[in-house]
């Protein structure tokens, strides 16, 4: 049973374009959601949390659809530096326990000049 | 401003050798985690420690042991390394529960030959 699913890509996108990817999660009781960015051979870094009402941080917009159990990330005016793997991350525990987040396998994004 | 520090960054072991991966955080976080990341598999939780003095198994604990030495340090030990343990290992920490994401160390690349 795959708890967090993402399209692995790669998504090849020209610089300046808008790109969006989704992620689905299986546990309807999941409480919190995140997008992480991981550069090649580096550690994952928190890009943004995903709130129920949707949220924006500069060129990045994250949305949550609890009814359909998916999360989306939209990147506008993409830059070469946005090339990375984007990990969808879910807290599957409604009790707020510390026993670990669940990571998707990531979507690989390549921004082309 | 160190965050989460992992040592070593790279290691090559022979099958059957033992080693300990070290992790330390200076953010006064209660919870610490060990993950492994393999191509096509995503990040998988090995062990975690919700607070000083406690440790629990994650998704893939076989072949590993951990020690939460104090609030700052959480080590991962391979008693008898196997080629299947070739992976990139990440330590992470967080505070205030899983609604706030993790901070990761830079990783240890381990090869078992």
């Amino acid at each position: 049973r795959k708890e967090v699913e993402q399209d692995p890509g790669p998504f090849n996108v020209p610089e300046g374009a808008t790109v969006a990817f989704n992620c689905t999660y299986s546990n309807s009781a999941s409480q919190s959601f995140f997008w992480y960015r991981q550069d090649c051979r580096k550690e994952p870094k928190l890009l943004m949390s995903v709130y129920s009402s949707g949220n924006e941080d500069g060129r990045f917009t994250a949305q949550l659809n609890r009814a359909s159990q998916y999360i989306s990330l939209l990147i506008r005016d993409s830059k070469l530096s946005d090339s990375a793997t984007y990990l969808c991350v879910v807290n599957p525990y409604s009790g707020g326990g510390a026993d670990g987040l669940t990571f998707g396998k990531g979507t690989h994004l390549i921004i082309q000049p | 401003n160190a965050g989460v520090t992992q040592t070593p960054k790279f290691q090559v072991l022979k099958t059957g050798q033992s080693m300990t991966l070290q992790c330390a955080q200076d953010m006064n976080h209660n919870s610490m985690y060990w993950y492994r990341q393999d191509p096509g598999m995503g990040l998988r939780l090995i062990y975690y420690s919700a607070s000083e003095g406690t440790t629990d198994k994650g998704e893939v604990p076989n072949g590993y042991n951990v020690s939460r030495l104090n609030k700052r340090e959480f080590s991962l030990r391979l008693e008898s390394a196997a080629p299947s343990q070739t992976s990139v290992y990440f330590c992470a920490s967080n505070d205030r529960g899983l609604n706030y994401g993790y901070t990761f160390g830079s990783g240890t690349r381990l090869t078992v030959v």
Side-chain angles (χ1 to χ4, degrees), chain B residues 43-109:
Chain B
L43 283 150
R44 293 182 292 169
L45 183 64
I46 304 171
Y47 270 93
Y48 66 97
S49 171
S51 60
E52 185 179 356
T54 69
T55 61
D56 285 284
K57 296 178 180 179
E59 181 186 354
V60 288
N62 291 343
Y64 305 95
N65 285 300
V66 290
S67 296
R68 183 74 183 267
L69 304 170
N70 47 56
K71 191 171 186 179
R72 290 187 65 248
E73 298 172 288
F74 188 38
S75 62
L76 179 71
R77 182 159 178 84
L78 288 70
E79 291 290 352
S80 178
S84 61
Q85 294 178 304
T86 294
S87 188
V88 181
Y89 292 85
F90 289 104
C91 177
S93 71
N94 86 328
D95 205 0
R96 305 184 290 163
L98 291 183
N99 291 332
Y100 297 91
Y102 292 165
T103 301
F104 281 90
S106 59
T108 296
R109 294 187 174 274

Side-chain angles (χ1 to χ4, degrees), chain A residues 56-110:
Chain A
E56 190 173 303
D57 183 1
R59 297 181 294 108
F60 298 84
T61 301
Q63 294 199 317
L64 168 64
N65 184 319
R66 286 192 182 270
S68 301
Q69 294 180 211
Y70 78 80
I71 306 149
S72 64
L73 178 67
L74 180 80
I75 306 175
R76 290 182 299 278
D77 187 24
S78 53
K79 312 291 185 190
L80 295 176
S81 58
D82 294 333
S83 297
T85 297
Y86 291 84
L87 306 177
C88 176
V89 184
V90 174
N91 170 15
Y93 302 104
S94 59
D99 44 347
L101 299 173
T102 300
F103 288 78
K105 296 179 183 179
T107 296
H108 188 41
L109 175 64
I110 301 170

Side-chain angles (χ1 to χ4, degrees), chain A residues 4-15:
Chain A
V4 179
E5 290 199 56
Q6 297 181 249
D7 182 341
F11 284 49
N12 289 284
V13 174
E15 189 176 9

